[in-house]
Amino acid sequence: MKTNYINNKAMMLRTIKSILVLFALVLSVQSCEDRLDLQPEDARLTADAAFENPEAYKQFLAKIYAGISLSGQEGPAGAPDLAGLDEGFSNYLRLYWKMQELTTDEALIAWNDGTIQDLHTQVWTSGNEFIRTMYSRLMYQIALTNEFLRQTTDSKLSDRGVAADLRAEIQTYRAEARFMRALTYWHAMDLFGNPPFVTENDPIGAFLPPQIQRADLFTYIESELLDILDDLAEPNADPITYYGRADRAAAWMVLAKIYLNAEVYTGTARNADVITYTNNIIGAGYSIPNVPYTHSFQADNDSNGAQNEVIFTIPFDGLRTQAFGGMTFMTHAPVGGSMDPAEFGINGGWFGVRTTPTFVEVFPGEENSNDGRELFYTDGQEKDIASVSTFTDGYAISKYRNVDVDGVAGSDTSGDHTDIDFPMFRLADAYLMYAEAVVRGGGGSMSTAVGYINQLRGRAYGNTSGDIAEVDLNLDFILDERARELYWECHRRTDLIRFNQFSDNGVWQWKGGVQQGSTTESFRDLMPLPAVDLGINTNLEQNTGY
């Protein structure tokens, strides 16, 4: 099994690396001139010519997947997908992590780049360049998927004389592309509420997209995911072929996610549906591996046993997916002070990210507990944060390490880029969602929920000493347990909003721009639409409060 995962990760990453020229060719003719039916004046290839190679379809799909991990056409920098912000900052996963973590009690950053400090203090405006670039990255990713779907219609494939066996395979590719679009629209719905809305059926070129309301976008995402289920691969059907790709369980996971947050998104709770889809996932053959929690966040997490829990992963490789976002950022940025970079398999720390005392105190007994998920680095670090710009103010976190279980550093001998795959969806999250839906009255079994929680705590403690009873399982416990299990995995902002603890409730150091922390306005549960887009697209109305 270990060899299968390693080989498939390499295959996935080789495919990602090979798509760059093709993608440039495909989009080279997708300009404002399209609506006038003009031909390119130079020797650029048309889209049909670019797809003469049957491998082009898989390569284009790989570009869509790589949109989460990579930031441009060369790597680690050069020919970026987006202009206007340093390429390292404009990486999808890096930006999404900042939106989900720096805005909460789980993380703050010492740097003073532009308006980055406004994220943790929750004083951002519609001109914030990090929020704007997250929005742009989402829209760019949606544009990729829309173009792939335009280029793979039955009529296009017939015109190109695509063979029947490849056409059948392309139907699966189309379902995966639609999954990736649904995933991106979920992120847009969660962050921005009412974004512009474009599908493959809309025109290319000078076109002002309409704005979709959050509840309507919820319905669209739900319908897309339900519609593609039969065309996606079965869960765990072929880990060699599908490592790093979406299968049916990945779609179930996004459905469970939107249902868990449905009351926020639409005003109507859908907890019974959470039970349905988490049951599907739990019954699909994933398992909590009998390895330490830390294995899930190391350089060999695709092969050290931790992969048996992962439902959808974003693959990284120190040689094949080089970028200064993604896991490179998430490994380097938290290292500083007296921390030894060699222990993290990197060439140096970036003295950036730490956590707040509020998050530290989520763990009973703080740094002296027996919970193996408590990965605080305290040597030379102060628990309280007197100065946000001082790395040693605030406990550091040593969750992500670019070393394998034997302590051997990753494949990039320069120490820049990492081999850690990002586990976007894990079985642990499905267990926690099931338990929360039970407590919120969605059905299911309280005893089953407790059993799932105790599986996670058994891994964390190494024995049954951390087990809970049914009387202990309530919403306060679940919010804290989600923090203990899933911190720095891009869940916290969404969780705090669902529990009404993000803005006008919930206080942690430097929230509100003051050392002791303060509440903020409730409209900050949504990010603002970027001012620059509002100035261009007259169809858009700004979110309330901005």
Side-chain angles (χ1 to χ4, degrees):
M1 180 63 74
K2 177 176 180 179
T3 301
N4 287 347
Y5 275 93
I6 293 173
N7 289 343
N8 188 63
K9 179 179 176 180
M11 180 173 66
M12 177 69 173
L13 295 167
R14 281 196 300 272
T15 305
I16 287 173
K17 190 174 181 181
S18 70
I19 50 78
L20 304 179
V21 173
L22 166 85
F23 178 69
L25 293 173
V26 170
L27 289 196
S28 66
V29 295
Q30 305 303 331
S31 68
C32 295
E33 294 179 336
D34 282 305
R35 70 189 191 279
L36 302 177
D37 294 323
L38 298 180
Q39 295 297 317
E41 295 178 353
D42 56 22
R44 290 177 294 178
L45 290 180
T46 64
D48 285 339
F51 282 101
E52 286 179 357
N53 180 358
E55 287 296 306
Y57 297 98
K58 182 183 289 186
Q59 291 166 352
F60 197 164
L61 178 65
K63 172 62 183 180
I64 294 171
Y65 280 114
I68 307 292
S69 57
L70 300 179
S71 52
Q73 303 304 306
E74 291 182 4
D81 293 331
L82 303 176
L85 192 67
D86 174 88
E87 187 173 339
F89 284 102
S90 72
N91 172 268
Y92 190 121
L93 181 56
R94 179 170 173 168
L95 287 164
Y96 187 59
W97 189 93
K98 288 175 179 176
M99 298 299 110
Q100 289 290 88
E101 300 294 348
L102 288 184
T103 58
T104 76
D105 57 342
E106 286 191 353
L108 76 168
I109 198 164
W111 307 337
N112 288 301
D113 301 282
T115 58
I116 197 169
Q117 293 294 348
D118 293 352
L119 297 178
H120 188 77
T121 55
Q122 293 195 7
V123 297
W124 54 74
T125 69
S126 61
N128 185 287
E129 66 267 40
F130 295 94
I131 295 173
R132 180 187 71 237
T133 310
M134 179 78 261
Y135 173 95
S136 298
R137 179 59 72 179
L138 294 167
M139 296 302 108
Y140 175 79
Q141 185 75 356
I142 289 164
L144 291 184
T145 56
N146 286 342
E147 184 59 23
F148 180 83
L149 293 170
R150 291 187 188 104
Q151 295 296 334
T152 54
T153 61
D154 286 340
S155 61
K156 285 279 189 182
L157 299 180
S158 294
D159 290 345
R160 295 180 190 138
V162 175
D165 57 344
L166 179 57
R167 290 183 71 146
E169 196 171 349
I170 289 171
Q171 294 312 304
T172 301
Y173 296 168
R174 285 177 58 86
E176 292 179 57
R178 289 171 69 186
F179 166 83
M180 292 297 289
R181 183 173 61 182
L183 176 75
T184 305
Y185 266 130
W186 167 48
H187 290 164
M189 175 177 68
D190 187 72
L191 290 168
F192 296 100
N194 314 297
F197 181 70
V198 187
T199 73
E200 72 275 21
N201 298 317
D202 289 307
I204 301 169
F207 164 67
L208 296 179
Q211 185 171 28
I212 190 169
Q213 296 303 300
R214 203 179 204 184
D216 295 329
L217 185 52
F218 177 98
T219 300
Y220 171 79
I221 296 167
E222 178 187 28
S223 64
E224 278 286 282
L225 292 168
L226 292 173
D227 193 52
I228 64 176
L229 286 176
D230 290 342
D231 291 324
L232 291 169
E234 294 183 4
N236 286 314
D238 184 354
I240 297 177
T241 301
Y242 282 94
Y243 187 80
R245 292 169 61 182
D247 61 16
R248 201 169 300 159
W252 289 338
M253 195 72 178
V254 178
L255 282 166
K257 284 286 190 184
I258 67 169
Y259 292 142
L260 186 68
N261 294 283
E263 191 165 5
V264 173
Y265 299 151
T266 71
T268 302
R270 298 281 297 272
N271 291 304
D273 292 312
V274 178
I275 299 292
T276 297
Y277 286 96
T278 52
N279 274 335
N280 286 351
I281 295 160
I282 292 165
Y286 303 97
S287 62
I288 301 299
N290 187 27
V291 297
Y293 175 80
T294 53
H295 283 28
S296 293
F297 315 102
Q298 294 183 203
D300 58 347
N301 64 349
D302 61 337
S303 57
N304 63 21
Q307 76 277 0
N308 296 328
E309 180 189 359
V310 177
I311 296 159
F312 184 58
T313 191
I314 307 300
F316 284 88
D317 183 281
L319 300 178
R320 297 182 178 92
T321 54
Q322 294 188 346
F324 288 110
M327 297 311 299
T328 295
F329 163 77
M330 291 162 66
T331 309
H332 283 266
V335 175
S338 64
M339 303 168 79
D340 181 1
E343 293 184 3
F344 294 82
I346 55 177
N347 56 14
W350 293 355
F351 289 71
V353 185
R354 302 94 70 208
T355 195
T356 72
T358 303
F359 175 67
V360 172
E361 290 161 8
V362 166
F363 287 89
E366 301 176 25
E367 68 270 18
N368 297 316
S369 89
N370 295 317
D371 191 329
R373 301 169 297 188
E374 187 180 298
L375 301 174
F376 300 128
Y377 184 91
T378 61
D379 185 18
Q381 304 289 132
E382 297 293 331
K383 180 180 173 183
D384 283 317
I385 303 162
S387 169
V388 174
S389 299
T390 302
F391 180 83
T392 51
D393 282 6
Y395 284 173
I397 286 180
S398 56
K399 183 166 183 172
Y400 296 107
R401 292 177 180 262
N402 185 39
V403 294
D404 65 17
V405 295
D406 297 317
V408 178
S411 59
D412 179 13
T413 56
S414 76
D416 276 332
H417 304 289
T418 73
D419 292 341
I420 310 165
D421 295 345
F422 180 69
M424 182 171 281
F425 298 139
R426 296 195 284 123
L427 181 61
D429 192 8
Y431 280 174
L432 288 160
M433 288 194 291
Y434 177 92
E436 183 178 337
V438 170
V439 173
R440 291 186 184 275
S445 162
M446 184 68 77
S447 63
T448 299
V450 169
Y452 291 154
I453 297 297
N454 285 339
Q455 281 192 52
L456 303 182
R457 293 176 69 82
R459 172 173 59 180
Y461 283 80
N463 52 45
T464 60
S465 64
D467 283 8
I468 66 166
E470 287 189 26
V471 68
D472 302 311
L473 188 59
N474 55 49
L475 290 178
D476 289 340
F477 173 87
I478 288 169
L479 180 60
D480 287 348
E481 189 69 6
R482 288 188 63 82
R484 288 185 284 263
E485 179 67 33
L486 300 171
Y487 65 95
W488 285 25
E489 296 179 52
C490 299
H491 300 282
R492 187 61 168 172
R493 173 190 163 274
T494 302
D495 287 349
L496 288 174
I497 290 171
R498 186 172 68 257
F499 282 81
N500 192 27
Q501 294 295 315
F502 180 71
S503 55
D504 55 347
N505 289 298
V507 173
W508 49 86
Q509 286 190 357
W510 294 104
K511 179 185 174 184
V514 293
Q515 196 274 341
Q516 72 273 19
S518 68
T519 58
T520 58
E521 305 94 329
S522 61
F523 69 78
R524 295 195 182 276
D525 287 355
L526 279 179
M527 294 294 187
L529 301 178
V532 65
D533 209 26
L534 287 168
I536 296 170
N537 188 348
T538 55
N539 292 328
L540 302 181
E541 182 178 339
Q542 182 60 278
N543 290 327
T544 301
Y546 299 103

